[in-house]
Amino acid sequence: GSWGMRPNNPVMAEGIFTLAERGIRRLHFGRTDPGQAGLRRFKLQWGATEYPLCYRKFDPVSGQWLPIRSHSPIGAEWIHALCRRLPGPGNRALGHLLYPHLD
């Protein structure tokens, strides 16, 4: 496939150059699930710094904040598997359905 050509790299470089020209000196690359090794590697190659995030949920029974063991929502694995297998138009339709606020 075309991933070997690293098509996201020139897009990211152009974005960084544009931001720098406008005086922006910091870029936050956002959260990444620890299991997403490729995405983590992509962000790190641009000089991003990783910081661990500790997610907690409030347990009303005990009155305490408890750590959440997984950063991914329950069932996220099957959703990721589905999206990898859907053709482009299917992914776009699913994206419009799940994220209408981004249109």
Side-chain angles (χ1 to χ4, degrees), residues 3 10 21 31 42-44 50 60 63 66 74 84 89 93 96:
W3 286 116
E21 287 173 352
R31 299 179 303 182
F42 176 78
K43 292 178 179 184
L44 290 170
E50 288 186 311
L66 304 174
I74 295 173
R84 280 192 302 273
H96 288 301

Side-chain angles (χ1 to χ4, degrees), residues 15-64:
I16 290 171
F17 291 140
T18 300
L19 292 171
E21 287 173 352
R22 294 179 182 178
I24 305 300
R25 298 289 169 243
R26 297 185 73 148
L27 174 61
H28 191 292
F29 279 81
R31 299 179 303 182
T32 304
D33 189 277
Q36 296 290 320
L39 182 55
R40 289 177 57 221
R41 189 170 38 254
F42 176 78
K43 292 178 179 184
L44 290 170
Q45 79 179 358
W46 294 100
T49 303
E50 288 186 311
Y51 299 97
L53 295 176
C54 179
Y55 293 94
R56 297 186 177 272
K57 63 180 176 180
F58 184 74
D59 178 27
V61 175
S62 68
Q64 297 180 346

Side-chain angles (χ1 to χ4, degrees), residues 63-81:
Q64 297 180 346
W65 288 93
L66 304 174
I68 297 175
R69 300 288 177 225
S70 172
H71 301 298
S72 297
I74 295 173
E77 293 80 19
W78 75 265
I79 293 172
H80 291 182

